[in-house]
Amino acid sequence: MKKIIWSLATVTAIIAAASCEKETVVEIEKEVIVTDTIVTTAEVVETSITVDADIATDVTWTADKIVILDGRVFVTDGATLTIEPGTIIKANAGSGVNASVLIVTRGSKIEAVGTATAPIIFTSFADNIDLGETAGTNLDQNDRGLWGGLIVLGNAPASFDGDAESAQIEGVPTDTDGDKGLYGGSDSADDSGTLQYISIRHGGALIGEGNEINGLTLGAVGSGTTVDNIEVVGNVDDGVEFFGGSVNATNLFVWAQGDDGLDIDQAYSGTIDNAVVVQGGISDHALEIDGPEGSLQGSFTLTNATLIGLADNVENGEIADYRSNAQGTTNNILVTNFTGVGTDLQLSDIELDNEGVAANYTAGSLVFTNWEIVLPTGVTASSEVFNDTTDSTTFEADAATFSSAVTEGTVGADTSAFSWTYANTKASLGF
C-alpha cells in the first residue's frame, strides 16, 4: 500500500463550470489511499456559485449554495429563474455600468418563494451572512449603495410622456443593454412570476449622476404577478417603486431608505395593502406619489399603512408628497414620530405640491381617508399637516384625527405580519 497526496490544483481541475455559473469551492487536501481494490478520492465542499451572464434558459438557485451576483444579470428569452426558500444572493460591488443588479425582462419570470423562517435574501458581498443564516453581523441599515437591486419588468400598461407604449427603465443603460430594459405594454394581467418573503439589503448603487437603483423596481408589472412580504433595508434610493402596471402588493416593509419609502409613478393602478415605512437618518419622504405622464389614466390604492419617522432626521424626513397629476386613494394611514424640520417643531407635512394635484383632490380623483397623525411633543397645531402648496383647496384627510399617542390596533398596518424581517430582528421593533 502507498500514499498519494493530491494537490489543491489537481482537486480544482476536476470541477466543471457551467457557461454562466462558476463554482466557487473550498478544497480539502486529503490523503488518498491506494490499495489493490479501493481508491478514496479527495473531498470537495461546494459553497457558492457565481452568476455573471444572462439567464436565457430555466435555472434554479438552491439554498445550499450562496449565489454571487457579478454585474448586470438579465433573465431573458422567456426563461424562468426559480429561487428556493432560504437562498442567499450576495452581489458584488460596483457603480455605473458595473453595478451588480438582477433584471427580469418582459416575458420572463422569477419564481422566488421564500418563507417566514427561510426568507430569500439579496445582500452585498461584503455582508458576512453565511449559509443557513438570516442576518450577518458586520452591516446595518446605514450601509447603503453596496450593490444595485432587483428589477422586474412587465407588459402591463403604464402612462408615458408622449403616449409611448414602452420605455427604458431607470437603472439600465440603453447603450450597452439595448431593449432588455424596456417595460410597458397592453396586458394588465401579465404574469412576471412570484416574489414572496424576500429581504433586499444595502443596495442602491449609483449608475449615473443623481441616478441610483431602487431596492425593488416594478416596471409595468401585471396583476398576474404575486408580490407579498417584501422587505427593503438600507437602500440609497427608494425602497419599492411602482412604474405603472397593475400588480397588487401586500406586506411591504421599508427601513432607512435614502430617498422615498414607497414611490408610485406613471399611472400605477394596483393595490398596496399593509405596508410599513420606518425612516432612517437620511430618508426623504415616506411616500412619494406621482400620476400619469400621458393620456392613459390610472388610479392606485394604498391602504393600511404605518409611517414611522425618526427623531434625528430633522433635515429631510417628510411624510408624503403628492405630485404631477397623482390619482388614487390613500386609506387607513397611521403617521407617528415625525418631529419636524430643522429647529422648527412644525410637523413635517403631507403635501399637494402643484395645481394639477390640487385639482384632482377637488375633483375627487385623489382621496385621503382615515388618517391618524400623532403630533410630536410640544406641537398642538395640526392645520399645516395637510399642506396644499397652491392654497387652492381646503385640504385635509376625510375623518383624519390628531392625537398625542398611537391608538393601538385601530389605524395603520398590521405589524405582526413583519415579525420575520431583518429589521425586526436588528431594531427590536416589537412586531
Side-chain angles (χ1 to χ4, degrees):
M1 181 173 67
K2 62 182 178 179
K3 296 182 178 180
I4 303 172
I5 305 300
W6 284 11
S7 70
L8 295 181
T10 303
V11 173
T12 303
I14 69 173
I15 300 171
S19 61
C20 67
E21 296 183 352
K22 305 170 186 174
E23 300 282 358
T24 302
V25 300
V26 174
E27 300 93 350
I28 303 172
E29 187 168 306
K30 181 179 179 180
E31 291 184 349
V32 179
I33 310 301
V34 180
T35 68
D36 290 339
T37 58
I38 300 173
V39 177
T40 304
T41 60
E43 293 179 359
V44 178
V45 180
E46 300 174 356
T47 60
S48 66
I49 60 171
T50 296
V51 181
D52 59 3
D54 289 355
I55 298 168
T57 59
D58 294 352
V59 168
T60 297
W61 293 348
T62 55
D64 60 342
K65 297 177 185 178
I66 290 176
V67 178
I68 309 300
L69 193 68
D70 188 18
R72 282 193 318 285
V73 174
F74 293 84
V75 183
T76 65
D77 298 335
T80 296
L81 169 62
T82 301
I83 307 177
E84 288 186 346
T87 300
I88 298 170
I89 299 97
K90 291 189 176 185
N92 283 333
S95 61
V97 296
N98 297 314
S100 294
V101 58
L102 179 64
I103 303 143
V104 182
T105 63
R106 294 190 298 181
S108 302
K109 289 185 178 182
I110 180 170
E111 294 292 344
V113 183
T115 68
T117 55
I120 294 166
I121 298 167
F122 287 83
T123 187
S124 164
F125 186 79
D127 193 339
N128 67 4
I129 187 174
D130 208 346
L131 289 172
E133 298 177 344
T134 57
T137 58
N138 64 324
L139 301 178
D140 63 23
Q141 74 276 15
N142 296 311
D143 291 297
R144 303 179 180 90
L146 303 183
W147 66 289
L150 174 59
I151 299 174
V152 181
L153 307 176
N155 290 292
S159 183
F160 301 119
D161 186 33
D163 288 339
E165 186 176 71
S166 62
Q168 187 82 358
I169 198 69
E170 63 180 33
V172 180
T174 56
D175 56 344
T176 56
D177 295 316
D179 63 2
K180 290 189 290 188
L182 289 177
Y183 68 106
S186 58
D187 184 5
S188 295
D190 191 36
D191 181 2
S192 295
T194 306
L195 300 173
Q196 285 185 308
Y197 288 101
I198 295 176
S199 181
I200 303 169
R201 308 169 187 174
H202 316 301
L206 181 71
I207 60 169
E209 184 62 33
N211 188 10
E212 301 87 15
I213 300 172
N214 305 304
L216 174 61
T217 298
L218 299 169
V221 175
S223 61
T225 309
T226 298
V227 177
D228 174 50
N229 283 290
I230 308 296
E231 174 189 42
V232 179
V233 174
N235 202 77
V236 172
D237 201 29
D238 302 331
V240 182
E241 184 157 9
F242 299 80
F243 290 92
S246 50
V247 64
N248 300 314
T250 55
N251 299 337
L252 303 183
F253 191 100
V254 178
W255 180 30
Q257 79 283 357
D259 195 6
D260 307 309
L262 301 177
D263 196 330
I264 290 172
D265 299 278
Q266 297 173 339
Y268 167 65
S269 57
T271 295
I272 302 169
D273 185 6
N274 210 55
V276 172
V277 176
V278 181
Q279 299 280 79
I282 64 169
S283 298
D284 194 5
H285 298 90
L287 306 178
E288 184 174 274
I289 313 295
D290 289 88
E293 295 178 1
S295 60
L296 175 68
Q297 304 296 292
S299 182
F300 72 90
T301 299
L302 170 61
T303 187
N304 306 318
T306 295
L307 313 178
I308 303 173
L310 182 70
D312 293 337
N313 183 2
V314 296
E315 294 299 327
N316 300 307
E318 295 285 330
I319 301 168
D321 192 9
Y322 291 78
R323 322 183 311 171
S324 61
N325 198 26
Q327 302 172 22
T329 298
T330 319
N331 170 64
N332 199 39
I333 311 297
L334 173 63
V335 177
T336 185
N337 211 41
F338 284 83
T339 57
V341 178
T343 57
D344 185 359
L345 284 179
Q346 169 82 37
L347 186 69
S348 61
D349 63 10
I350 301 149
E351 183 176 295
L352 305 182
D353 79 351
N354 63 55
E355 292 181 356
V357 173
N360 287 347
Y361 173 73
T362 300
S365 58
L366 182 62
V367 178
F368 300 79
T369 59
N370 199 28
W371 287 58
E372 180 177 336
I373 315 295
V374 180
L375 298 172
T377 303
V379 175
T380 58
S382 58
S383 58
E384 297 300 321
V385 173
F386 290 92
N387 178 22
D388 175 8
T389 61
T390 70
D391 294 323
S392 61
T393 71
T394 359
F395 174 43
E396 63 181 42
D398 297 338
T401 59
F402 298 88
S403 62
S404 58
V406 175
T407 306
E408 294 290 346
T410 58
V411 178
D414 174 8
T415 57
S416 67
F418 304 108
S419 60
W420 66 275
T421 60
Y422 168 90
N424 188 49
T425 300
K426 284 287 189 178
S428 301
L429 298 174
F431 291 163

